[in-house]
């Protein structure tokens, strides 16, 4: 494993320009955020009238509708729409498997570029993007912040994540549990990973239960995962754990492998479906913009 | 099925050994190829993990084992060199390697040997015999003998300075072949075979193996070297005839020859073209007939060196010293003096001519004139008792020329029969009626009289004129001697005890019984010299075993095909 992507490669102007036509469309966002372009579930001091409600102690006296009081003899206050930002929590996988180069380019390139792309789309529309990379644990690199200037900061953070380091295992379940404990404002959680947690797909399903965010699953795949080209007597070594398995590759074993891999994908799709989330498969050897464009088919991704 | 390189036992043992070796290799623990993967999650689900490190494992891939065993068995069989029995009805094959002089040109001999070995490999051992036909005939490989012996027996062989003798061999084979059994003769060489020779052996099927007819270069050779009486009439001189031919139909220049007699060079200027035409040959005149060895060489090198030298032993013809009784001087001196071969002398005489009872010449062979008393025959020939009288009689009648005498006239004059009788005695002698010398018989004035005297003296002196022409492959013949000398080997044993004409097999020397000087034998074969390339194309080619019918080829092709199958199975992960 070696260094795979540099800052310049990540912060490619052409790449970022291609993202400018895309946007995230959310009906309403949770309240408590900063001023943004999304309608909040909160009602407050906006300019567009929304509703009335009876006056209660502590309400702003400027919101009392005195005309209505004259007609009905009861005190009501006017409520207005509030526009806030959408918090986007980006969780790229930076475990050892992301850096494996034995059978093609490392997945970390596609992972980091996908993360940057989605963060940029949000930041372009005054949303807040936070970076929470994970491997054997969740790191909080940057809590959600908005503003165009954050794009540069985000790219620098991601470039540092691409530097080679010790082989680290994937602990997605642990990381999700940690994320849930942060009590973050509800927003969009983008999970960028191959989802090869040693606990299996069912452990991931359980770990996602306490997560209240809307979710976007970005699955990084490579052709050799689905159609391995191994043959003969081989010793397979897990790039993260170092565990070895001696196998004689036969058509029967290959068929079983394909079946196991297909079941894993079906389970992951089922998780996404049950959470009403989108599952985007990114072929790490394919064109990233083209693959991301499937997510923004009408120019915007409806959350 | 036979195997060229291994016995059947070795073939079976080899396959068994290979099977055991492959079985052991199958059971040995394989060395796994190291592959790092993103995750082993799905592989663990797909298969049980292989057992921990062990020296041997269970026999896991029987089909792979069977496939590789089949491939190595095919290769082993190909190495063993299987030979299919010929499907031509079991005919017997006689493979004749032509070792005559013409095969020495270029690489034809090597090509013929290579073709022979190839053919031997493809014939069953009990259905073929290999025969060498060079200066003589020799069996190189008997039926049933292993072909490896052929290599050893060919080691010291090379084309000999001898004319092609394949036709003679075919006649022998035709005479000795068993009726009802087909014999296929394949000739490896370009010895000419005339259709007449084939007709003499109808039970033989004769073919000629194809041999490369690459250009062998020009060739010039000596095709004739003979001796004749000197044209000048000198008794103790001879003329020598030399003919040089080449395959370009051109005439040789005299200076292309180097000639020596007993080591003494004879200038080329002494060569004279026959009738002014060098193509007809050259004459060397009035060489001394003293038993010298004349050697003729071609100075230029060419493609066939065997015909570039020829030798001949010149005859030894000293003058015959005859002692003449004074009582016969008046009648015979003029006759004897007219014979250039005879010298009348008393010292060192070899033959004496006298009348009965005269004490002249003592025990020398004698021509003796006797009185015709009683039943004494007109001609009485006396020879040593160890010789056969009949043979002596037949030879003497012809040699002395008795048939030329008008015996009828003599008998009428004598009024009694004129007879020739042979008897034994201590010395050679011819007794003749003395009365025949009288005027009454008119014998002395007949044409036969000087001939009778000259022949009788020569016969009594045992004059041998030598051999005018001694060539390999041709019967040894003398001009004048019917009894001739016997050819003997180095130990003095006769090589022609039956007295049939001796045929020298190859150029070299042959030793004569009564001579210390061996005769020189030369090649002198125009067919070898001129007919170098494509000497005979009238014979068909044998049914050769080519690549398509060679079982080794098919075994290798099959092994190659199975290797392809294994490669495909390996690529599709059906075999490890």
């Amino acid at each position: 494993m070696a260094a795979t992507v540099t800052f310049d490669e990540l912060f490619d102007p052409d790449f970022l320009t291609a993202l400018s036509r895309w946007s995230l469309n959310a009906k309403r966002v949770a309240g408590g955020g900063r001023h943004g372009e999304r309608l909040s579930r909160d009602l407050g001091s906006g300019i567009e009238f929304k509703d009335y409600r009876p006056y209660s102690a502590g309400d702003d006296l400027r919101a009392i509708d005195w005309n209505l009081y004259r007609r009905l003899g009861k005190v009501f206050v006017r409520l207005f729409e509030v526009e806030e930002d959408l918090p986007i929590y980006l969780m790229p996988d930076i475990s050892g498997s992301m850096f494996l180069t034995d059978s093609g380019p490392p997945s970390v390139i596609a992972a980091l570029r996908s993360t940057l792309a989605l963060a940029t789309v949000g930041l372009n529309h005054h949303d807040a993007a936070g970076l929470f990379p994970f491997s054997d644990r969740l790191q909080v690199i940057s809590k959600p912040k908005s503003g165009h200037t954050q794009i540069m900061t985000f790219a620098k953070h991601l470039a540092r994540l691409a530097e080679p380091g010790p082989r680290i295992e994937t602990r997605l379940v642990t990381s999700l549990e940690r994320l849930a404990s942060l009590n973050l404002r509800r927003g969009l959680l983008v999970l960028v990973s191959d989802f090869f947690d040693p606990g299996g797909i069912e452990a991931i399903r359980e770990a996602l239960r306490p997560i209240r965010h809307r979710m976007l699953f970005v699955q990084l795949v490579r052709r050799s995962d689905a159609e391995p080209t191994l043959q003969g007597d081989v010793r397979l070594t897990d790039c993260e754990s170092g565990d070895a398995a001696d196998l004689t590759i036969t058509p029967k074993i290959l068929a079983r492998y394909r079946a196991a891999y297909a079941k894993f994908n079906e389970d992951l799709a089922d998780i996404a479906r049950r959470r009403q989330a989108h599952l985007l498969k990114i072929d790490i050897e394919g064109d990233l913009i083209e693959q991301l464009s499937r997510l923004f088919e009408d120019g915007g991704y409806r959350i | 099925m036979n195997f060229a390189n291994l016995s059947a036992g070795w073939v079976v043992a080899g396959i068994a050994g290979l099977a055991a070796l492959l079985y052991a290799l199958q059971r040995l623990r394989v060395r796994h190829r190291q592959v790092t993967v993103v995750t082993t999650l799905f592989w663990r689900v797909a298969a049980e993990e292989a057992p921990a490190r062990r020296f041997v494992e269970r026999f896991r891939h029987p089909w792979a084992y069977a496939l590789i065993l089949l491939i190595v068995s095919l290769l082993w069989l190909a190495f063993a060199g299987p030979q299919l029995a010929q499907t031509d009805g079991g005919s017997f094959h006689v493979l004749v390697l032509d070792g005559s002089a013409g095969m020495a040109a270029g690489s034809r001999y090597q090509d013929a040997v290579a073709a022979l070995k190839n053919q031997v490999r493809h014939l069953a051992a009990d259905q073929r015999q290999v025969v060498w036909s060079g200066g003589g005939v020799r069996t190189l490989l008997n039926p049933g003998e292993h072909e490896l012996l052929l290599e050893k027996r060919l080691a010291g062989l090379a084309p000999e300075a001898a004319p092609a003798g394949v036709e003679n061999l075919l006649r022998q084979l035709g005479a000795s072949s068993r009726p009802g059994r087909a014999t296929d003769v394949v000739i490896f060489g370009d010895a000419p075979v005339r259709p007449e020779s084939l007709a003499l052996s109808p039970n033989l099927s004769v073919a000629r193996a194809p041999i490369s007819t690459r250009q062998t270069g020009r060739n010039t050779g000596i095709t004739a070297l003979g001796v004749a009486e000197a044209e000048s009439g000198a008794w103790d001189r001879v003329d020598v005839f030399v003919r040089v031919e080449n395959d370009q139909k051109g005439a040789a220049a005299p200076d292309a020859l180097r000639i020596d007699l007993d080591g003494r060079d004879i200038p080329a200027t002494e060569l004279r073209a026959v009738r002014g035409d060098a193509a007809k040959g050259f004459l060397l005149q009035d060489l001394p007939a003293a038993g010298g060895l004349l050697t003729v060489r071609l100075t230029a090198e060419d493609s066939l060196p065997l015909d570039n030298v020829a030798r001949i032993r010149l005859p030894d013809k000293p003058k015959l010293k005859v002692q003449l009784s004074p009582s016969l001087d008046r009648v015979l001196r003029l006759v004897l003096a007219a014979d250039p071969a005879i010298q009348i002398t008393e010292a060192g005489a070899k033959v004496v001519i006298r009348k009965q009872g005269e004490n002249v010449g003592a025990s020398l062979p004698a021509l003796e004139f006797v009185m015709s008393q009683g039943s004494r025959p007109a001609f009485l020939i006396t020879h040593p008792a160890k010789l056969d009288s009949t043979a002596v009689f037949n030879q003497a009648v012809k040699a002395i020329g008795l048939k030329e005498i008008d015996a009828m006239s003599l008998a009428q004059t004598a009024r009694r029969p004129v007879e020739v009788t042979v008897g034994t005695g201590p010395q050679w002698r011819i007794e003749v009626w003395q009365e025949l010398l009288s005027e009454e018989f008119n014998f002395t004035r007949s044409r036969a009289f000087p001939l009778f005297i000259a022949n009788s003296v020569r016969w009594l002196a045992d004059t041998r004129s030598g051999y005018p022409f001694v060539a390999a492959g041709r019967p040894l013949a003398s001009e004048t001697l019917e009894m001739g000398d016997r050819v003997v080997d180095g130990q003095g044993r006769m090589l022609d005890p039956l007295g049939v004409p001796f045929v020298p097999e190859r150029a070299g020397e042959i030793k004569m019984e009564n001579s210390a000087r061996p005769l020189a034998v030369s090649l002198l074969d125009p067919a070898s010299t001129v007919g170098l390339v494509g000497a005979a194309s009238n014979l068909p080619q044998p049914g050769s075993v080519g690549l398509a019918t060679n079982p080794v080829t098919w075994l290798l092709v099959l092994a190659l095909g199975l290797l392809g199958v294994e490669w495909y199975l390996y690529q599709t992960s059906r075999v490890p």
Side-chain angles (χ1 to χ4, degrees), chain B residues 92-98 113 116-117 119-121 123 125 127-133 137-147 150 153-154 157 169 186 188:
Chain B
F92 188 76
H93 292 76
V94 178
L95 311 180
V96 180
L97 178 58
D98 182 11
V113 169
L116 171 70
K117 291 177 180 175
Q119 187 76 6
V120 167
R121 273 196 295 274
L123 291 174
Q127 287 191 317
R128 52 102 175 102
Q129 181 182 19
V130 182
V131 179
W132 165 269
S133 176
V137 174
R138 183 190 312 177
T139 299
L140 295 177
L141 204 59
N142 279 310
E145 286 188 318
H146 197 280
E147 66 178 78
L150 180 63
R153 291 170 182 170
L154 282 170
L157 290 178
L169 177 61
V186 183
F188 295 83

Side-chain angles (χ1 to χ4, degrees), chain A residues 233 235 237 239 246 248 251 256, chain B residues 33 35 37 46 50 60 570 573:
Chain A
D233 293 291
R235 167 165 291 175
T237 304
C239 69
D246 291 342
T248 298
R256 287 181 184 171
Chain B
R33 185 161 54 93
V35 178
V37 293
R60 297 183 303 161
Y570 176 77
S573 301

Side-chain angles (χ1 to χ4, degrees), chain A residues 139-153:
Chain A
Q139 300 179 49
V140 182
I141 300 289
S142 164
K143 287 196 173 179
K145 294 177 182 174
S146 59
H148 283 89
T149 57
Q150 291 299 318
I151 296 176
M152 176 71 78
T153 306

